Amino acid sequence: MRLFMVLGAVIIITLIDASFSAEESKHVPSIGGFPMRHKIEKNVLSTIPSRRPSENHGSNIGNDPLTERSNKLEKKKLSVVHSSIQAFSADSNPLLKTAENEDIKTLKPSQFNKNRSNSRKKAHPRKKSHKPVPVVSPVKGISSVQTSGAAPLLPDRPVLTIKIYEPGHLNKEIDIKRICGYGGKYLKLLILITSAHSHFTARMSIRHTWMNYGRRRDVGIAFVLGRTTNASLYESLNKENYIYGDMIRGQFIDSYINLTLKTISLLEWTDTHCPRVKYILKTDDDTFINVPKLLDFIDGHKDNRTIYGHIIENAKPHRQRAYKYFLPYHQYGGSVYPPFVTGTAYLLTGDIVHELYVHSLRTYYIQLEDIFTAVLVQSLKIKIVNAGSFYNTRIPFLPCRIRNAISVHDIKENEIYDIWRKQMDSTVKCN
C-alpha cells in the first residue's frame, strides 16, 4: 500500500514538472531550439539588486516614447487637478472672509490681525522677491494697487476702515532700539514725521537740523511712509533706511489721499513698539519743529487724554471734486466739521494711542486725516486744547519769532537751514 502511494506521488510530481516546463517554453526565449530553464533565469535575476515596488515602477518601460507621452499627459492632468484643489481651498478658507462677514462690533483688531496672519500662512508659497508687492484691499471691488501718488478706488458708499487698512510694517532696516528703546520707558517725546517717497531732500534737511535732538535719551524721531509699486524707488528707500534706520514704512500705498491710513499706521507702530512713551508729536516733512520749546511746553502741561495743536472750528466740507480738500457726502454727511487740530503738527498724550488705533479701525473711513481724527476724538471724548505756538502757516523768519514757535509749517528744504541757524544763534537775545 505504501509503495503505491509513493509511486503515485512520484507520478504527480513528474506531471506537474512537465506542465511547468511546457508553460515556460511558450514565453521564454529559446537558445538552440531548447527552452531556457527557469533555474538559469532565476540565477541571473538574483545578481540584480532588489528594489522597492515604488522604485521599480515603470523602470522597464520608461524609454518607450509612447509611454513618455502618456506619462507627461498624466502629470499634466494631475497638475491641473492639484491647482484646482488649491484654488478651492483658498476660496473656501473661512479665515480669508472673516473681515468681510463677521460683525464689526464683535471683531477685535487683534483678532482681525490674527486672522489676516493665519490666512497668509495658509496661502500658496511664493518665491521671495525684492520687488514691492502691490497691496490689494480685502473689500470687494476695491483695489489699492496703484503707483505712488494715485488715488485709491474707494466705493461710493461708507466703508469701515478695517476693510481698507492693511496692518503691519516693514521694520527690517529700522533702528527701533534707538528710536524707542525699552518700549518708550525712558522716552518723554516721540516725534513721527509723515513723509512722501520722493521727499529725500526734505528728509535730509531735517536730519541735518532739528532731528539732531533725536540723539537725546528722552527723545525719539522717525519718518513715516507707505509702500510704493515703483521698483527703483523701492530699492532707493531700502538703501536710505539701511544707512539711517529712521523710516517706519506701513503696508498702505503711499499717496496724498491715503494720509488717513498713514496716521493709523503711525498709531499702530507706536502702540506696538513704543507703548510707554509719554507724548507723541505727529508732524509733516515741510514743518520746522522747535524741539526745546516743545519739551518746555510738555513740562508745563500734565494733562491726560488730551491733544494739543492749532484748532479750527466751524469749517465746512468742500463738495467740488476738483478741490484739494474735497470730501464726498457718503464719507461725511454733516454741513459743518467738528473742531479739529490741523494735521501739520499736533501733540498727543501717550495714554490715548491704543484707544485711537483700535477705534480708528471700527470707524467709517474719511480720506481727510484731520477730519477723521476729529471724528475719533469726538467719539472717544478726548479733550483738544488750542496751543498758539503751533503755527499752521508760515511766519516771518525772525530769530525771536522762531524761538517762540513750536511748529512752523510750509517750509522749503533750503529754508530749514536758515531757521535752524537763527534758532541756534546765541548772539541774538530775545525777551
Side-chain angles (χ1 to χ4, degrees), residues 189-194 259-267 279-284 287-289 294 297-298 306-312 340-350 352-353 356 368-374 376-377 382-387 389-392 406-409:
L189 173 65
L190 173 65
I191 302 177
L192 298 177
I193 312 161
T194 58
L259 286 179
T260 296
L261 301 181
K262 185 174 287 188
T263 301
I264 297 172
S265 182
L266 69 85
L267 288 173
Y279 289 88
I280 303 96
L281 179 79
K282 182 267 176 188
T283 187
D284 298 337
T287 304
F288 181 88
I289 301 298
L294 178 58
F297 179 87
I298 289 173
T306 306
I307 297 179
Y308 307 93
H310 179 82
I311 297 179
I312 294 179
F340 63 91
V341 291
T342 57
T344 56
Y346 56 83
L347 183 71
L348 303 85
T349 55
I352 60 175
V353 171
L356 282 171
L368 298 181
E369 178 259 337
D370 317 63
I371 309 306
F372 182 80
T373 303
L376 293 178
V377 167
I382 294 172
K383 181 170 61 175
I384 58 173
V385 177
N386 187 67
S389 49
F390 285 83
Y391 290 101
N392 187 41
I406 290 178
S407 65
V408 183
H409 182 231

Side-chain angles (χ1 to χ4, degrees), residues 108-176:
K108 298 179 180 178
S110 59
Q111 180 183 356
F112 171 70
N113 294 348
K114 181 180 179 181
N115 290 345
R116 295 291 293 274
S117 177
N118 290 339
S119 66
R120 289 195 192 99
K121 290 178 182 179
K122 294 192 177 186
H124 309 317
R126 294 180 179 177
K127 294 182 179 179
K128 292 183 179 179
S129 175
H130 295 290
K131 295 183 178 180
V133 180
V135 179
V136 179
S137 168
V139 182
K140 293 181 179 178
I142 303 176
S143 175
S144 59
V145 179
Q146 57 196 290
T147 58
S148 181
L153 302 176
L154 293 171
D156 55 355
R157 65 184 187 279
V159 56
L160 288 168
T161 305
I162 197 171
K163 293 180 177 289
I164 299 175
Y165 182 70
E166 179 78 10
H169 298 86
L170 309 176
N171 284 328
K172 182 178 179 182
E173 303 296 347
I174 190 170
D175 190 350
I176 297 177

